[in-house]
Amino acid sequence: MAECTVVLKDGSERSVEKGTTLAELAAAISGRLGREAVAGKVDGVVVDLSTPLVQDAAVEILTLNDAEGLAVMRHSTAHCMAQAVARLYPGTKFAIGPVIENGFYYDFADHDFTPDEFSDIEREMQAIIKEDLPIRREEVSRDDALRLFEERKDRFKVEIIQDLPEGTQLTLYRQGEFVDLCRGPHLPSTGRIKAFRLMSLAGAYWRGDSKREMLTRLYAVAFAKKSELDEHLKMLEEAKQRDHRKLGKELELFMFSEDAPGMPFYLPNGLVIRNELESFERALQVEYGYQEVRTPTLMNQRLWVESGHWDHYRENMYVSEADEELYALKPMNCPGHMLIYRNKLRSYRDLPLRISEYGHVHRHELRGTLGGMMRVRAFTQDDAHIFCRPDQIGQEVERVLALVAKVYGVFGFTHHIELSTRPDDSLGSDELWNQAESALQAALDGAGVTYHINPGDGAFYGPKIDFHIKDAIGRTWQCATVQLDFNLPIRFDLEYIGEDGKAHRPVVIHRAIFGSVDRFLGILTEHFAGAFPLWLAPVQVRVATVSHDFADYGAAVEQKLKAAGIRAEVDLRGEKIGYKIREAQVHKIPYTVVVGEKERDAGTLSVRRYGTGDLGTMNFADFVAKVKEEVASKELLKV
RNA sequence: GCCAGCGUAGCUCAGCAGGUAGAGCAACUGACUUGUAAUCAGUAGGUCGCAGGUUCGACUCCUGUCGCUGGCUCCA
């Protein structure tokens, strides 16, 4: 019998008879691996365990501990859900059911689902799992597959097959009475499916095309263990508790009105935080050589034609008329900054020119996409444009990287970086693109950061770097961005006079760090769960009097704290001290200072820290020094 | 813009085979004068998102509309 040699994950080699399946190999390696195997990988391709080995190859056995193994199980769980739906609601048509982060979804048509049906579907899925149906792969010709799904009037599957070239070999996966067109791979049987939960239902267009049929998408999560599922559900619950919309209301940070959908109103508390964020960043920007400007909100249509926004972004712009001319609210700050650059003759000595703006922009986003601070129609960008020579790109990007790291570090965010390179349809010469991409890469390498490259994902006008921050409960948010732009300098015919006395074209670097200040505030609210570090806290110290007798002393303490530059307020109400303390804690106020007879007589304060508890008695000067020190260091709250 | 769900007091929510609304917290008043996460009692507060329709009668059913939520889509 012929043999072939497989190289395993640990580098060891093993001879097996040709025709040995991966399942058999797994069992031969170890009993445990045989039981835990869910799929295999042959020369880097994920395949079913039933796949026979026919030639020398690098082989890996996948279990649920491998991301790819887990994905296989999620995919099989999607089939299981589809089978349950087919059993419960005959006539339902099936579109696609891919794996997504934490789980999968499946798109259906011809049945109106309601969330009430989730438990029925889950119960049927459990039944299918208990039946432990073998999942079998079948290779079929394109014509046979077409015939099968035409017979079943499965219009989506038929369309998918029709879009494949003639003569393509297709695969079907069968489990009991259920069959689905699928590339696979899958688990060996339905009994191997572990923990899952149906989560939500949503509309989704067939093939993501808004002109086509709207399907019903069922979302579900699936994990290798029940404990992991529970952990995930707990995280979602935690996220709900931290939701900035809930906390924004409770802590009176901001509000929304039907009269201005998607446009946040800042309440006094929220504005304190926002102002602190801006002045923190503003000081750093001065240090990093930025000059702050402010450009108009409403500008003539001519400008938007020149910038190209009128042709490419018109749908999202608010337009108004005055003096029989069209004006538009700025959706971006760049065109205004181009005008500032062009306002006078620029020399190479002026470059790099870094201009920043807290620019309030309006974008008419589709109604259905709005959500809290995360997706709005009016927001403020911490925008900046750096005008430089092509050979300065590298050093400028490095400066931005350093600034971004400094800003994020203060909030305790870690971040990862993605570099998006030249897309197919792009503007600018090969030379410029190559220079720009290598400058970005060199800057990233020089900064010693790791990054992920998204080839072809850049904007048509230049490559970009995106920063994704990770918050306290592990979610990531894309915030900062650095984008090179070869387009705007051309459109606005920007020039500088070089050493050679001739006119040259500068490169523009767009950059934002918070991105949207408003959204960043939302992210921070969730990151800190509303318990902001002292320097950001709207109220830093709440003075609580034990009874009316100490009102004078309490009011005097408040005044002295305010005079020391501390955001303080006093609670003089005729409530019990326990009640006042509870309220201060519920509002997540960092320090509560209790004053009663002892404190008044000794001229001291009794200090309580949010998240820590009673810190004991302090004299006024020590407390002020402590608070000021904590504010200055921007110390993160230790809970 | 599309699909689904939701919209009742300042907040969180209950209610109704269709007979014009209720709780807790907050607010206000009074009593209590309080020592580290909720003192007691009382009062007030709503054209049930808005506009039409069906009905003797609509918060409840229907249509439209606005807003919110979850997705889709779009994202120079």
Side-chain angles (χ1 to χ4, degrees), chain A residues 523-537:
Chain A
I523 293 169
L524 279 185
T525 304
E526 304 200 355
H527 177 60
F528 292 125
F532 294 96
L534 193 64
W535 69 284
L536 289 174

Side-chain angles (χ1 to χ4, degrees), chain A residues 377-397:
Chain A
R377 284 176 168 166
F379 59 100
T380 300
Q381 290 179 301
D382 61 331
D383 209 354
H385 292 90
I386 300 167
F387 299 83
C388 67
R389 299 193 310 258
D391 65 283
Q392 292 172 320
I393 293 172
Q395 73 186 51
E396 283 310 303
V397 171

Side-chain angles (χ1 to χ4, degrees), chain A residues 244-546:
Chain A
H244 73 284
R245 290 168 297 204
K246 172 175 139 67
L247 289 170
K249 200 179 275 186
E250 287 172 5
L251 305 179
E252 297 186 32
L253 303 178
F254 45 77
M255 56 167 263
F256 288 90
S257 160
E258 287 198 9
D259 293 320
M263 306 190 188
F265 289 61
Y266 280 82
L267 299 174
N269 289 338
L271 194 64
V272 167
I273 300 174
R274 195 182 139 147
N275 285 339
E276 287 291 346
L277 287 175
E278 289 184 3
S279 54
F280 156 63
E281 190 189 38
R282 184 173 275 131
L284 276 177
Q285 288 184 160
V286 168
E287 200 179 302
Y288 277 72
Y290 289 80
Q291 294 173 283
E292 188 170 344
V293 300
R294 183 148 296 181
T295 60
T297 297
L298 192 63
M299 291 182 272
N300 196 293
Q301 178 202 12
R302 281 190 308 273
L303 176 70
W304 306 112
V305 171
E306 185 174 8
S307 70
H309 286 85
W310 197 258
D311 283 343
H312 296 102
Y313 205 65
R314 172 93 173 78
E315 294 290 292
N316 290 300
M317 289 166 71
Y318 288 94
V319 176
S320 149
E321 203 193 307
D323 300 334
E324 285 156 27
E325 294 206 56
L326 285 179
Y327 284 78
L329 291 178
K330 65 175 174 185
M332 296 178 201
N333 304 299
C334 351
H337 291 188
M338 299 303 124
L339 295 185
I340 287 178
Y341 182 90
R342 215 167 54 181
N343 183 49
K344 71 177 194 184
L345 190 61
R346 304 287 179 179
S347 146
Y348 72 95
R349 294 172 194 278
D350 298 330
L351 305 186
L353 178 70
R354 310 180 189 95
I355 57 181
S356 67
E357 173 170 7
Y358 288 92
H360 193 226
V361 296
H362 287 78
R363 297 181 184 177
H364 185 259
E365 301 290 350
L366 291 176
R367 220 185 320 180
T369 63
L370 303 177
M373 286 291 209
M374 301 311 185
R375 198 67 198 254
V376 291
R377 284 176 168 166
F379 59 100
T380 300
Q381 290 179 301
D382 61 331
D383 209 354
H385 292 90
I386 300 167
F387 299 83
C388 67
R389 299 193 310 258
D391 65 283
Q392 292 172 320
I393 293 172
Q395 73 186 51
E396 283 310 303
V397 171
E398 267 179 56
R399 274 179 97 87
V400 174
L401 293 179
L403 181 55
V404 170
K406 209 157 188 172
V407 171
Y408 288 168
V410 163
F411 303 102
F413 287 127
T414 57
H415 65 271
H416 77 267
I417 297 174
E418 296 191 2
L419 170 66
S420 299
T421 59
R422 186 172 192 175
D424 293 337
D425 189 17
S426 63
L427 181 144
S429 69
D430 289 353
E431 191 197 345
L432 201 49
W433 271 92
N434 292 338
Q435 188 179 359
E437 287 181 1
S438 49
L440 288 186
Q441 216 154 338
L444 289 167
D445 292 335
V449 294
T450 54
Y451 56 95
H452 178 252
I453 299 181
N454 297 321
D457 237 17
F460 78 89
Y461 51 79
K464 62 171 182 179
I465 297 174
D466 290 319
F467 297 75
H468 300 252
I469 59 179
K470 187 176 232 177
D471 74 13
I473 54 173
R475 296 171 302 178
T476 59
W477 306 89
Q478 201 246 295
C479 291
T481 180
V482 183
Q483 303 189 8
L484 294 195
D485 193 332
F486 312 136
N487 180 42
L488 284 177
I490 297 171
R491 281 191 167 269
F492 283 85
D493 195 22
L494 304 186
E495 297 181 333
Y496 67 89
I497 306 301
E499 280 176 279
D500 56 4
K502 293 186 186 130
H504 297 272
R505 182 137 286 159
V507 170
V508 165
I509 303 174
H510 306 256
R511 61 107 274 212
I513 298 175
F514 296 145
S516 152
V517 179
D518 310 69
R519 179 165 169 274
F520 197 77
L521 173 57
I523 293 169
L524 279 185
T525 304
E526 304 200 355
H527 177 60
F528 292 125
F532 294 96
L534 193 64
W535 69 284
L536 289 174
V539 175
Q540 297 169 317
V541 180
R542 165 82 59 89
V543 180
T545 51
V546 173

Side-chain angles (χ1 to χ4, degrees), chain A residues 82-309:
Chain A
Q83 182 173 20
V85 166
R87 285 184 180 180
L88 294 169
Y89 318 110
T92 303
K93 296 296 183 291
F94 304 88
I96 55 164
V99 171
I100 53 173
E101 196 184 0
N102 299 320
F104 59 89
Y105 66 78
Y106 210 112
D107 286 344
F108 302 101
D110 301 352
H111 176 72
D112 294 327
F113 287 90
T114 71
D116 301 337
E117 291 166 335
F118 286 3
S119 56
D120 295 340
I121 298 170
E122 285 176 344
R123 203 172 309 120
E124 193 59 39
M125 288 171 72
Q126 293 297 356
I128 293 166
I129 292 167
K130 204 160 175 208
E131 289 166 30
D132 196 16
L133 304 168
I135 302 177
R136 295 206 174 84
R137 176 189 166 94
E138 275 174 41
E139 297 194 348
V140 293
S141 69
R142 181 176 179 276
D143 290 345
D144 285 348
L146 206 49
R147 210 166 303 123
L148 174 74
F149 288 103
E150 271 171 352
E151 238 168 65
R152 299 180 161 227
K153 299 196 166 38
D154 244 324
R155 58 187 182 277
F156 305 106
K157 299 292 181 191
V158 168
E159 188 180 324
I160 291 168
I161 298 167
Q162 280 170 344
D163 284 353
L164 295 168
E166 295 275 351
T168 312
Q169 173 96 91
L170 301 176
T171 51
L172 300 179
Y173 277 81
R174 224 179 255 282
Q175 53 197 62
E177 80 289 356
F178 180 80
V179 62
D180 201 355
L181 176 75
C182 183
R183 198 179 295 129
H186 279 281
L187 300 174
S189 71
T190 58
R192 303 293 301 277
I193 292 170
K194 306 288 185 187
F196 65 90
R197 169 81 63 90
L198 268 61
M199 298 301 286
S200 62
L201 145 181
Y205 298 107
W206 169 232
R207 300 205 148 165
D209 184 344
S210 60
K211 290 182 188 61
R212 307 201 59 178
E213 190 175 343
M214 174 68 75
L215 310 170
T216 306
R217 176 170 297 177
L218 259 49
Y219 281 94
V221 293
F223 292 91
K225 291 183 194 145
K226 176 152 189 315
S227 61
E228 287 170 18
L229 172 65
D230 290 343
E231 206 173 294
H232 179 74
L233 297 175
K234 208 175 123 195
M235 192 278 283
L236 293 178
E237 187 50 40
E238 175 66 25
K240 211 166 139 191
Q241 291 307 313
R242 289 167 175 255
D243 191 311
H244 73 284
R245 290 168 297 204
K246 172 175 139 67
L247 289 170
K249 200 179 275 186
E250 287 172 5
L251 305 179
E252 297 186 32
L253 303 178
F254 45 77
M255 56 167 263
F256 288 90
S257 160
E258 287 198 9
D259 293 320
M263 306 190 188
F265 289 61
Y266 280 82
L267 299 174
N269 289 338
L271 194 64
V272 167
I273 300 174
R274 195 182 139 147
N275 285 339
E276 287 291 346
L277 287 175
E278 289 184 3
S279 54
F280 156 63
E281 190 189 38
R282 184 173 275 131
L284 276 177
Q285 288 184 160
V286 168
E287 200 179 302
Y288 277 72
Y290 289 80
Q291 294 173 283
E292 188 170 344
V293 300
R294 183 148 296 181
T295 60
T297 297
L298 192 63
M299 291 182 272
N300 196 293
Q301 178 202 12
R302 281 190 308 273
L303 176 70
W304 306 112
V305 171
E306 185 174 8
S307 70
H309 286 85

Side-chain angles (χ1 to χ4, degrees), chain A residues 30-41:
Chain A
S30 84
R32 186 171 166 194
L33 195 60
R35 285 190 304 277
E36 292 188 352
V38 292
K41 210 169 169 183

